[in-house]
Amino acid sequence: ELGILYARSGNNNSLETTLCIAYNPKYQKLPKPSSVKSHPLADYSSSNGCDDIYTKTIESHVVFVQRGYCTFAQKARFVQRYNGTALISIHYENETSLVMPGGTEDDYDNITIILATILWKDFQTLEASFDVYVSMYAPDDAKVDPNMACIYLIAMFCVGVGSFWSGIVRHDIKKYRCNSDKSNNVEEDEAVDLSPISLLILVILLCGMLVSLYFFYDYLVYAVIGFFTLAGSVGLYFCCQLIWNKILKCHAFISVEKIPGCSGAIEIRSILLYLLCAAINELFSSFAFIYAWILQNILGTAICINMLKTIRLPNLKVCTLLLVLLFFYDIFFVFITPLFTKTGKSIMVDVTTGGNSVTGERLPMVFKFPRLLSSVYSICTEQPYSLLGFGDVLVPGLLISYNHGFDIEIGSKRLYYISSLIAYAVGLGITYLALTFMETGQPTLLYLVPCLLITTFTLACHRKEFRLLWSGIKVCIL
């Protein structure tokens, strides 16, 4: 939870500044601007506040101490004993992100003062002045921002286009194999019929990767950025290939036989396209400019569409098992992990937002869009963003892709594709409503998975095609 600290000087220094703080409302909520009160600052920044060091009176004061060496609650108990108003812990000098003070249920029940944290560089603006008075408040802020609609449209575009393309590719591959097979029997396509054990191992690996990012974020984030740039260039290449080939109709080739391990020739226009895609990725990875989020969304869209086109599951049974496993995975890492973390924040939200990062790097595996409405919280970050992870597009998209391929095979006029796409739109809308009213990060799959599975199962049972949809079509129906 972010709040605002307003500081002014009572002497000739004429200090007046507004700073950002992170607080935990489970201890004490910050007042609204209409009921805010000013309190004198007590500077104990030379100490960590883990012992009874308050020789001077701190009654009705806002106490500043160093972070670390003991829990936030332990520091707060000494301040509360002497009737202090609030305790603010100062982050280490090299930290760039605010951490919310954590605690236990017993701490929340027994500590009634405000607990917050402030960045080291922000505290330096206060330390140089004397006779400083501070007030803290949680400003009224718009719960709904138009940027949510923008991310909503990006997600719908990725799922719609990616699953539509996937269904066509699945049908084309199967048609080719059917025409080449005299027995007229064919496997679904090159998709692998993953066993329940394989899916369980996949989810366990995802859990391990997320936990590793939580503990070793500043090291692994660069590996994720490298993967993103590579996948972005490949995805952008395949998404633009059809249009590019229509623009450049030159069919000139260049031989690669002299390159060790290579044979044949490559079209020059294909080389030019990949160099262009690689240049766009290099622009994103090399320059952290204010509009980098636009390139990130473009590359993310290309990655999601290309992955949905490439990865295809063989039947509804595998789709259901995968979605159910990731349903519980999402819930656990958003709602359950705050009970175990020191900061009280979920591992999922912490990793997605880079909460523990010292370098300030952020994971690029999300769609992001800046807030369009002005916010007083703009002092807390250069540009507040709304985020949606790629997984919230890819995981439901795999089921929608399968449904579209099934539509084409049985000639159902894309009933499964359209209905599941509508279900995805409804589920994502419910997610945004939950985000708005609960005011905390939501596990998107909690809402998307039931909407998609209930819709697919209901339609399949109504059309008496559930068994065929569940097991997948193993013979040619073209």
Side-chain angles (χ1 to χ4, degrees):
E1 295 287 346
L2 297 177
I4 302 299
L5 183 144
Y6 170 74
R8 62 176 178 82
S9 176
N11 56 24
N12 295 330
N13 288 338
S14 300
L15 169 71
E16 186 173 4
T17 185
T18 303
L19 304 171
C20 183
I21 57 175
Y23 73 102
N24 191 335
K26 291 185 178 180
Y27 287 108
Q28 181 78 315
K29 292 184 178 180
L30 291 182
K32 293 299 181 182
S34 58
S35 57
V36 67
K37 294 181 180 180
S38 183
H39 299 277
L41 181 153
D43 183 5
Y44 284 84
S45 58
S46 59
S47 171
N48 52 51
C50 294
D51 302 305
D52 188 352
I53 57 172
Y54 303 108
T55 55
K56 300 178 181 178
T57 177
I58 58 170
E59 183 176 354
S60 298
H61 282 62
V62 175
V63 180
F64 286 76
V65 297
Q66 291 180 15
R67 185 185 166 195
Y69 299 101
C70 62
T71 65
F72 290 104
Q74 185 174 338
K75 300 172 191 283
R77 287 191 178 92
F78 290 113
V79 175
Q80 183 170 286
R81 180 188 301 175
Y82 293 99
N83 297 318
T85 299
L87 169 74
I88 300 183
S89 296
I90 306 163
H91 275 266
Y92 304 121
E93 185 175 354
N94 60 346
E95 289 183 306
T96 58
S97 299
L98 289 168
V99 174
M100 183 181 72
T104 64
E105 291 300 326
D106 182 64
D107 295 332
Y108 300 147
D109 292 337
N110 293 295
I111 295 175
T112 58
I113 64 173
I114 296 171
L115 262 68
T117 61
I118 191 172
L119 293 179
W120 182 87
K121 65 180 180 63
D122 289 338
F123 176 72
Q124 300 311 302
T125 64
L126 306 178
E127 192 178 26
S129 301
F130 301 96
D131 193 21
V132 177
Y133 289 81
V134 298
S135 54
M136 296 168 289
Y137 60 94
D140 296 318
D141 205 40
K143 292 184 178 181
V144 180
D145 192 276
N147 71 344
M148 287 186 176
C150 298
I151 290 188
Y152 186 91
L153 292 175
I154 292 174
M156 290 300 302
F157 177 80
C158 290
V159 169
V161 174
S163 56
F164 186 87
W165 195 359
S166 175
I168 294 175
V169 171
R170 178 193 295 265
H171 177 71
D172 289 345
I173 292 174
K174 190 164 188 178
K175 184 177 180 179
Y176 172 79
R177 291 193 174 186
C178 284
N179 292 337
S180 305
D181 192 354
K182 294 180 180 180
S183 66
N184 207 37
N185 287 319
V186 66
E187 291 299 321
E188 175 74 356
D189 55 24
E190 75 274 20
V192 179
D193 189 354
L194 298 174
S195 66
I197 298 298
S198 300
L199 292 177
L200 184 60
I201 292 174
L202 174 63
V203 175
I204 291 174
L205 290 175
L206 287 174
C207 295
M209 183 180 68
L210 192 62
V211 172
S212 298
L213 278 168
Y214 179 75
F215 287 105
F216 307 105
Y217 184 92
D218 287 314
Y219 302 99
L220 297 179
V221 67
Y222 295 104
V224 176
I225 292 174
F227 171 79
F228 174 81
T229 54
L230 178 61
S233 60
V234 173
L236 201 59
Y237 173 83
F238 285 109
C239 288
C240 297
Q241 193 175 31
L242 292 176
I243 300 175
W244 181 261
N245 289 344
K246 289 183 178 181
I247 295 174
L248 288 181
K249 297 183 179 181
C250 174
H251 294 283
F253 289 83
I254 182 172
S255 176
V256 293
E257 292 182 352
K258 294 183 178 180
I259 301 177
C262 298
S263 62
I266 302 177
E267 277 192 295
I268 294 178
R269 62 180 179 179
S270 297
I271 297 176
L272 292 175
L273 175 59
Y274 189 80
L275 290 175
L276 177 62
C277 296
I280 294 174
N281 275 275
E282 185 64 24
L283 180 66
F284 169 79
S285 59
S286 300
F287 303 98
F289 50 95
I290 190 171
Y291 295 111
W293 60 270
I294 297 177
L295 272 181
Q296 181 170 324
N297 288 340
I298 292 173
L299 296 175
T301 300
I303 290 172
C304 289
I305 291 176
N306 185 56
M307 290 187 73
L308 288 177
K309 187 245 335 181
T310 304
I311 303 173
R312 291 178 296 281
L313 299 180
N315 51 52
L316 182 60
K317 177 176 64 177
V318 174
C319 291
T320 302
L321 183 58
L322 178 63
L323 263 65
V324 169
L325 287 174
L326 292 176
F327 170 83
F328 289 108
Y329 160 87
D330 216 16
I331 292 174
F332 176 79
F333 280 104
V334 174
F335 286 154
I336 308 301
T337 53
L339 302 177
F340 307 107
T341 58
K342 293 181 180 180
T343 61
K345 292 177 65 177
S346 75
I347 289 180
M348 182 75 77
V349 173
D350 210 43
V351 168
T352 304
T353 59
N356 285 331
S357 174
V358 175
T359 62
E361 294 286 354
R362 299 289 181 266
L363 290 179
M365 308 300 285
V366 294
F367 294 107
K368 60 190 296 186
F369 211 96
R371 289 180 63 97
L372 301 177
L373 298 179
S374 60
S375 170
V376 69
Y377 288 119
S378 59
I379 68 166
C380 294
T381 176
E382 292 182 2
Q383 180 65 66
Y385 291 91
S386 292
L387 308 176
L388 181 71
F390 290 172
D392 301 324
V393 172
L394 291 172
V395 175
L398 292 174
L399 174 59
I400 301 174
S401 298
Y402 172 72
N403 285 347
H404 184 223
F406 185 80
D407 276 326
I408 298 176
E409 290 176 335
I410 66 172
S412 60
K413 298 181 180 180
R414 297 190 170 91
L415 286 176
Y416 288 96
Y417 169 72
I418 294 173
S419 61
S420 54
L421 200 58
I422 293 173
Y424 180 82
V426 172
L428 196 58
I430 295 174
T431 304
Y432 280 137
L433 289 176
L435 180 66
T436 300
F437 288 106
M438 297 184 185
E439 299 183 0
T440 185
Q442 295 295 307
T444 312
L445 297 182
L446 170 65
Y447 310 99
L448 291 178
V449 170
C451 286
L452 283 165
L453 291 181
I454 290 172
T455 301
T456 301
F457 286 9
T458 302
L459 182 60
C461 291
H462 176 72
R463 290 173 56 86
K464 297 181 173 57
E465 296 167 344
F466 183 79
R467 288 187 178 180
L468 189 62
L469 187 68
W470 181 258
S471 300
I473 298 174
K474 302 299 181 181
V475 295
C476 295
I477 302 178
L478 301 171

